[in-house]
Amino acid sequence: MAWPGASSRSIGSILSLHLSAAFDEFLGSAKSVRLLKQSSWMTGTRICIIGASYGAGAELALRLLKEGRAVSGVGRNKKKMLGFDRLAKSKFGQSIQWHEIDLKDKELLAPVLEGIEIVVDCADPHYSPSIVGNLSSTVRKYVLLGSARAFSLVPDRRAEDCRVAERAVRESGVTWTVLHPTVIYGGE
């Protein structure tokens, strides 16, 4: 899916709507989003947002918290995580379960993903193959915030990282979705 330009907040909203549709699919019915919002459709489902302390990942986490959902998040910047906690607690009285991990350290991620059912990957695409390699058997859905850059014909390391990330997700064996925004603006 590509957008001509989107803010971190709108990408977070789009990811949240995508999760609503994904749960509709998991429930095996054609319920409307309205009915899903009235029900407890996410009760018990464990979601982990990789890159939750900044940008689209943080916006998605805030939106899910606003809806009363339990979320765990992976981030590497303690200062941003503390800032997120202050904001989330002041707005919603709760925050997410944080895991401070530098994704360069692959071994630290596997225990965090144990028991997780949905992974939303908002991290740099360079890390996606290693994230996919650490998925537990409980993961049913993988959502990758990719980039339209993956379609570039110009030789570019970042575009190749996007293509490699998407290939890893497609070959993961779990149900997946890749979103392709063209530009994400906002943030710091």
Side-chain angles (χ1 to χ4, degrees), residues 86-151:
R86 281 191 298 277
L87 175 65
K89 286 178 182 170
S90 71
K91 285 184 140 186
F92 312 117
Q94 64 176 341
S95 190
I96 65 178
Q97 178 186 359
W98 282 109
H99 303 279
E100 184 180 1
I101 296 175
D102 188 330
L103 294 174
K104 293 175 189 168
D105 194 346
K106 300 172 190 173
E107 294 77 35
L108 294 176
L109 190 57
V112 170
L113 296 178
E114 193 60 45
I116 296 295
E117 295 169 87
I118 297 177
V119 173
V120 181
D121 181 354
C122 298
D124 187 299
H126 174 76
Y127 297 112
S128 297
S130 127
I131 296 167
V132 168
N134 280 291
L135 295 180
S136 72
S137 61
T138 58
V139 174
R140 299 184 294 165
K141 179 77 173 177
Y142 193 102
V143 180
L144 173 65
L145 180 58
S147 170
R149 197 171 193 167
F151 304 116

Side-chain angles (χ1 to χ4, degrees), residues 12-105:
S13 295
I14 289 164
L15 284 168
S16 179
L17 290 173
H18 172 73
L19 287 177
S20 296
F23 277 100
D24 189 36
E25 176 186 321
F26 291 150
L27 294 172
S29 68
K31 293 178 184 174
S32 70
V33 172
R34 181 183 56 78
L35 289 174
L36 285 173
K37 288 195 179 243
Q38 291 172 354
S39 70
S40 58
W41 59 274
M42 280 181 61
T43 302
T45 300
R46 298 192 53 204
I47 300 172
C48 182
I49 303 171
I50 312 284
S53 62
Y54 180 73
E59 289 297 331
L60 173 60
L62 286 172
R63 182 159 177 142
L64 292 173
L65 286 173
K66 181 180 179 183
E67 294 174 4
R69 313 303 180 206
V71 179
S72 67
V74 172
R76 67 173 180 245
N77 187 314
K78 185 84 165 181
K79 183 178 176 183
K80 287 181 183 175
M81 288 187 271
L82 291 171
F84 180 96
D85 276 347
R86 281 191 298 277
L87 175 65
K89 286 178 182 170
S90 71
K91 285 184 140 186
F92 312 117
Q94 64 176 341
S95 190
I96 65 178
Q97 178 186 359
W98 282 109
H99 303 279
E100 184 180 1
I101 296 175
D102 188 330
L103 294 174
K104 293 175 189 168
D105 194 346

